[in-house]
Amino acid sequence: MRHKVGQRKLHRTTSHRLAMLNNMVTSLLEHGAIRTTVPKAKEVRPLAERIITLAKRGGLSNVRLAARTVKDRTVLQKVFSEYKERYASRPGGYTRIVRLGFRRGDAAEMALIELVDRPAKAPAAAETTEAPAEAQTEG
């Protein structure tokens, strides 16, 4: 039996693994979604959800606890303002892991980890189709 089963080591030293996971959590909170391998996504999920839970509670001590993981100050401000309001009524489960298939080079299983209820980007292609028509003038 494997008592007190810990996290995945991901074939890295402790310092490298912790730095990588902190960077991935920061990128996830900054961009709303990141593409990575399935084991890494499963390791990032609890860290990201803990940061959002700290933001929902608010307070200086929780900001300092979150700053241990999220080193970027602008991302930290975004978490404690935007995400705090967005997930105020949600009791948990702020992230989603979507499997994307296998990577071509080494056949690693890829996944998209994203924040739920994130706003979709508006397509800007409709505006660019009208610009060439206006550029055609007589002369």
Side-chain angles (χ1 to χ4, degrees), residues 25-138:
V25 169
T26 303
S27 295
L28 174 63
L29 295 174
E30 181 180 0
H31 301 293
I34 56 172
R35 185 172 180 254
T36 184
T37 60
V38 172
K40 288 180 190 173
K42 287 181 177 181
E43 286 301 308
V44 166
R45 173 182 242 169
L47 297 174
E49 294 197 359
R50 182 168 187 267
I51 298 298
I52 295 174
T53 302
L54 289 173
K56 283 174 55 175
R57 291 182 194 155
L60 181 61
S61 63
N62 288 327
V63 172
R64 288 179 175 162
L65 287 172
R68 291 180 184 176
T69 303
V70 180
K71 305 289 194 242
D72 190 357
R73 180 171 275 177
T74 58
V75 175
L76 200 60
Q77 289 173 347
K78 181 179 182 179
V79 169
F80 276 82
S81 60
E82 182 183 333
Y83 294 154
K84 178 180 182 175
E85 296 168 3
R86 185 189 301 174
Y87 299 114
S89 62
R90 191 176 190 93
Y94 313 113
T95 59
R96 168 188 309 129
I97 296 176
V98 180
R99 292 173 187 250
L100 298 175
F102 296 93
R103 186 162 48 197
R104 185 173 178 181
D106 60 354
E109 190 174 7
M110 299 300 289
L112 177 77
I113 181 167
E114 62 182 352
L115 298 174
V116 296
D117 300 336
R118 69 182 177 125
K121 291 185 179 179
E127 298 173 5
T128 58
T129 56
E130 296 176 10
E134 295 173 0
Q136 297 174 356
T137 60
E138 295 179 32

Side-chain angles (χ1 to χ4, degrees), residues 11-22:
H11 301 288
R12 286 163 172 81
T13 61
T14 304
S15 59
H16 183 190
R17 182 176 61 250
L18 293 176
M20 179 190 67
L21 292 174
N22 289 345

